[in-house]
Structures are given as structure tokens and as C-alpha cells.
Amino acid sequence: ISKKLKYLFPEVIIDYLINKNATNIADSKEVKYQLKCRTRIKNIKYIYNGVKSEKVKKYNVNNKIKYISVGDISPLKNQEFLINVMYDLIHEHSVSCELLIIGQIKNLNYFNKLEQLICELDLQKFIKIKPYQKNIYRFLYKSDVFLHSSKSESFPYSILEAMNVGLPIISSNVGGIKEQISQNKNGYLYPLNNKKKAIQKILLLKSKNLIKLYGLNSKNIFERNFTHEAMILNYNKEIN
């Protein structure tokens, strides 16, 4: 199978299985666009994912910035990239910070690789990896900035949950994430795997006041667009 066919294979399956005459719902504008480009499905609309609203966090950023990243432990989520970013932040830019990575271990070999890299870079005091946590909000409330490094996404719930509590977001620019992040308002996007650009964006968001401002903007954007109630309302409009 050619590399191109491997890349398009999920869309090929979708194209075969989906009723072309039905109304099909994508979870972002980007996914809608990609499906239109790669399949014969024409009747596609989008409705954003939504989650139940939570209270906004208390902002008490101290001298050490607490970063958090949530997602399955797998090469697709690309946590290795964040570990290398953290090394540069600490050793080349003297940023006082720590990173908590939380996710279900989908690939044990990759998890072991991450743990080994943390040891090789002597970052055990700065980076911790926790397995999947049922109540992710208790960790989000204790964090300052949400980092995301995924190689591919549609419209990730992990970012919605971070926005829900009022965290600013710094993420790779993939999939529908650009519809969640308003540049220079509630966070920043960087090109996938571009460490220099990622570090530049992270360094822009160091001050306590800016972290709070961007965090509150995240919460406001969430409440306007991505609540569970808004999602249900939009689905009901389509059904009726």
C-alpha cells in the first residue's frame, strides 16, 4: 500500500460506509473540509463537541509555572516533543517550570521511551507522567498552562476541558485546534514539531497577568461555543 493510500485509508472506509444522501456531522470545520476533499460525501455539516461547564480556576501563579498535557501516551500524541521542549526551556532559557503529562498508556514501548528520555535529560524533578485519571479537572485546576503536541487531531476534548477551567492553550497547529484557539487571545499555535516556534510561543506566556488574561479568555470562548448544552441544542436543530 502506498504512503498516500495509507494516509487516506480511514477516509476510504468512511466513503464506503457512509450514506451519501444522509446529513453527516463533522466535529469541526476542518474535519468537514477534509471529508469533502477526500471522500464523495457532499452533505456534511459540523457541530462542535461540547462538555459540561465547570467553575473557573483560581489564578495564583507562583514563580514556577505548572504546565500540563493530557492525552493518550502514544507516538501520535507526541509527548517526546514536549520533553525536549522542556529541556530547552529549563537549561537554555532558565524558565522555572514543571510539566505533568497525563494519559492512558496506549503504547508501552513509547511510555518506556519517554521515561528513559526524562532520565537521560535529568528531568525527573521537572517532568512527571501519570496514567489516565478519571477526574482530570482536579489536575487542570492546579495547573497554569495547557500544552498540546499532537501530530493529528479532529477537535480534542482535552483542550475543551482545559478551556473549561480557564487555562490558556499552546498547541501544535493540527486539525480543528485552530478553531479552539484564538491566536494572541487565549493561546498560541505553532507548526507541528517546530521546537523553536513552540518555545517562542511558550516564552510569550510567562507573566502571571497574561496567563490569567488568556485563561479567562479561554473560559469565555468555551462558554460561548463549546458547552454541552450548545452541542445538544445544535444537534436538536439538525434532528428537527
Side-chain angles (χ1 to χ4, degrees):
I1 301 175
S2 69
K3 289 184 179 179
K4 184 175 182 181
L5 187 55
K6 282 183 179 179
Y7 180 67
L8 295 179
F9 193 60
E11 285 80 3
V12 172
I13 295 175
I14 290 170
D15 189 46
Y16 179 77
L17 294 176
I18 290 294
N19 182 347
K20 311 297 188 301
N21 297 317
T23 298
N24 297 282
I25 306 297
D27 62 5
S28 67
K29 295 178 186 177
E30 177 64 20
V31 171
K32 173 183 174 181
Y33 171 76
Q34 293 297 334
L35 286 174
K36 280 199 168 186
C37 289
R38 298 176 180 176
T39 71
R40 293 170 293 169
I41 304 168
K42 300 303 178 185
N43 191 13
I44 306 174
K45 297 184 179 181
Y46 74 91
I47 295 175
Y48 289 131
N49 295 331
V51 297
K52 291 184 178 180
S53 184
E54 301 285 339
K55 64 181 181 180
V56 70
K57 74 185 299 292
K58 295 180 180 179
Y59 295 93
N60 51 2
V61 183
N62 55 35
N63 293 328
K64 178 179 284 188
I65 300 174
K66 296 179 180 179
Y67 298 111
I68 187 170
S69 182
V70 179
D72 292 339
I73 308 299
S74 71
L76 182 66
K77 298 303 182 182
N78 204 21
Q79 289 95 347
E80 181 180 0
F81 175 80
L82 289 182
I83 293 171
N84 286 308
V85 165
M86 283 291 291
Y87 180 86
D88 285 4
L89 285 173
I90 293 166
H91 293 284
E92 295 187 15
H93 300 278
S94 300
V95 178
S96 178
C97 60
E98 59 188 34
L99 170 64
L100 176 60
I101 297 172
I102 300 178
Q104 186 173 352
I105 301 173
K106 293 288 188 177
N107 186 314
L108 184 58
N109 289 335
Y110 187 70
F111 169 77
N112 291 334
K113 181 180 179 181
L114 297 181
E115 292 279 28
Q116 182 179 351
L117 180 61
I118 291 170
C119 291
E120 288 175 354
L121 297 178
D122 197 22
L123 293 174
Q124 298 95 319
K125 294 181 180 179
F126 306 98
I127 302 177
K128 304 295 181 185
I129 302 178
K130 284 184 175 291
Y132 170 76
Q133 303 291 316
K134 188 172 183 180
N135 181 10
I136 196 63
Y137 285 112
R138 69 188 183 99
F139 297 96
L140 293 172
Y141 279 123
K142 297 176 183 178
S143 304
D144 301 314
V145 179
F146 188 89
L147 302 181
H148 199 68
S149 54
S150 186
K151 296 178 181 178
S152 177
E153 288 286 2
S154 56
F155 198 78
Y157 276 102
S158 60
I159 288 181
L160 292 183
E161 290 166 340
M163 294 174 66
N164 193 4
V165 303
L167 289 182
I169 316 295
I170 300 175
S171 173
S172 52
N173 188 6
V174 296
I177 293 176
K178 56 182 172 287
E179 297 164 50
Q180 297 172 303
I181 299 176
S182 296
Q183 287 270 47
N184 304 307
K185 189 170 183 179
N186 74 314
Y188 302 107
L189 296 166
Y190 61 85
L192 176 62
N193 283 334
N194 190 321
K195 186 167 71 168
K196 181 179 179 181
K197 291 290 185 181
I199 290 171
Q200 286 177 354
K201 299 302 184 183
I202 292 171
L203 292 175
L204 289 174
L205 197 56
K206 284 174 56 182
S207 78
K208 298 178 183 179
N209 290 338
L210 200 58
I211 287 174
K212 181 177 181 179
L213 175 63
Y214 277 38
L216 291 173
N217 287 342
S218 261
K219 180 61 172 174
N220 290 334
I221 292 170
F222 169 86
E223 293 292 342
R224 289 199 306 268
N225 302 288
F226 307 133
T227 62
H228 180 76
E229 291 76 15
M231 179 183 69
I232 296 299
L233 178 64
N234 288 326
Y235 272 107
N236 284 335
K237 286 179 181 178
E238 288 301 323
I239 294 170
N240 299 324

